[in-house]
Amino acid sequence: MQAANLYVEQGGEGPDLLLMLHGMGATGAVWSPMCEMANARWAGRWIAVDLPGHGGSGRQDSYAIGQSAATVARAVLPHLGPAGRLVVLGHSLGGVIGLALATGWFGVMPHQVFAAGIKISWNDDELRRMETLASQPAKKFSTEEEAWERYLKVSGLAAIADASAAAAARGVERDTDGWRLAMDPKANAVGKPPLTELMTLARCPVHLGRGGNDALVTLEQTRALNPEARDLGPHGHNVMIEAPAQVWDWMAAATKAQLDGTPSENSLQG
């Protein structure tokens, strides 16, 4: 379905809402392994969106973190009930957008934000490469197979999923003269996120984590932002696909600690 020009998948019942935000180049389908476990692990509703310029969602003139956060917030507002709590779970770029939402500047106020696999250190060459990608037209592929091969590579799914996997859905689309990735190339132009500032401005508890084998960020870098950041085990960047139960466990433990160890008050079911 579409909400505020965003593609949204949803499920569950109850007043509390879990919002899941994917990383750059992917789609909300990467949360499918976690959604399959949601009935047993989450006592509430959940939604997984395709971020602006990704998958089935509409495009924007610009994709700065604040602009994407504002678009996501508009899409979330109709799903919020008067008494329910909003928990945000973001991966990589989605985690940064979750940190932006934690400021409360965009019309929603999360109860907690969980962010896994945020890339923290950026060098000048990496930033220039992203700017170059953003300035180029979408690459066209003569076959669907070639497009899927490229999508799985840029989304980080190549080693853990294939084109038929639920986690890869909406990654490519047919164009008038071939196939292309569904992502708008301009969505690469997010720049270096102000992570320290966002952590300082957060008005709700923020929990950071990363897979122990994530090549994009170290535990030391993550703990420089959040001393209690969690090592999520011997998994790579897309830990929510490789080990969804580990992510659920992380969220349940952090929530239980926040609520002084009272499982009956916890929306996350351990």
Side-chain angles (χ1 to χ4, degrees):
M1 65 173 290
Q2 291 280 344
N5 205 30
L6 293 188
Y7 182 93
V8 176
E9 295 184 320
Q10 59 185 311
E13 295 180 351
D16 292 344
L17 179 66
L18 174 63
L19 167 65
M20 292 176 279
L21 304 174
H22 65 82
M24 181 178 290
T27 74
V30 297
W31 300 108
S32 56
M34 292 199 58
C35 295
E36 291 172 2
M37 305 175 70
N39 285 343
R41 301 302 302 267
W42 173 252
R45 292 168 294 121
W46 57 264
I47 61 175
V49 307
D50 289 356
L51 291 176
H54 291 73
S57 290
R59 300 187 174 196
Q60 299 186 161
D61 292 334
S62 177
Y63 296 94
I65 296 299
Q67 289 171 303
S68 292
T71 301
V72 169
R74 287 195 299 272
V76 169
L77 279 171
H79 296 270
L80 296 176
R85 298 176 301 174
L86 171 65
V87 175
V88 179
L89 170 61
H91 173 246
S92 199
L93 171 63
V96 180
I97 294 172
L99 297 186
L101 293 175
T103 66
W105 290 354
F106 300 96
V108 298
M109 190 63 250
H111 180 72
Q112 292 188 94
V113 170
F114 294 85
I118 290 178
K119 180 174 170 58
I120 294 170
S121 177
W122 291 85
N123 61 45
D124 291 342
D125 286 342
E126 290 171 329
L127 293 172
R128 280 193 293 267
R129 180 174 180 273
M130 299 302 287
E131 291 173 359
T132 299
L133 289 172
S135 67
Q136 296 175 341
K139 182 179 174 70
K140 300 293 179 68
F141 299 90
S142 58
T143 68
E144 183 179 5
E145 290 74 18
E146 290 177 303
W148 277 114
E149 182 179 1
R150 179 62 178 169
Y151 172 70
L152 294 173
K153 181 177 180 180
V154 302
S155 63
L157 300 179
I160 56 177
D162 59 29
S164 65
R170 300 184 303 281
V172 306
E173 61 185 20
R174 185 70 182 266
D175 210 337
T176 54
D177 54 351
W179 294 84
R180 63 183 297 276
L181 303 194
M183 176 186 177
D184 181 359
K186 292 181 180 178
N188 286 289
V190 295
K192 183 178 180 179
L195 297 175
T196 300
E197 292 83 353
L198 290 175
M199 290 291 292
T200 300
L201 291 167
R203 294 170 53 198
C204 69
V206 172
H207 312 278
L208 303 187
R210 47 87 71 179
N213 298 331
D214 192 337
L216 296 185
V217 60
T218 68
L219 186 60
E220 181 181 15
Q221 291 168 342
T222 307
R223 285 184 172 165
L225 285 179
N226 176 203
E228 297 180 353
R230 179 69 64 90
D231 185 324
L232 298 175
H235 312 291
H237 187 57
N238 286 286
V239 62
M240 68 286 183
I241 297 177
E242 296 181 52
Q246 185 72 38
V247 178
W248 281 119
D249 288 347
W250 167 45
M251 296 171 66
T255 302
K256 185 181 294 185
Q258 181 183 350
L259 297 174
D260 298 322
T262 308
S264 62
E265 297 179 359
N266 188 357
S267 288
L268 286 158
Q269 304 301 305

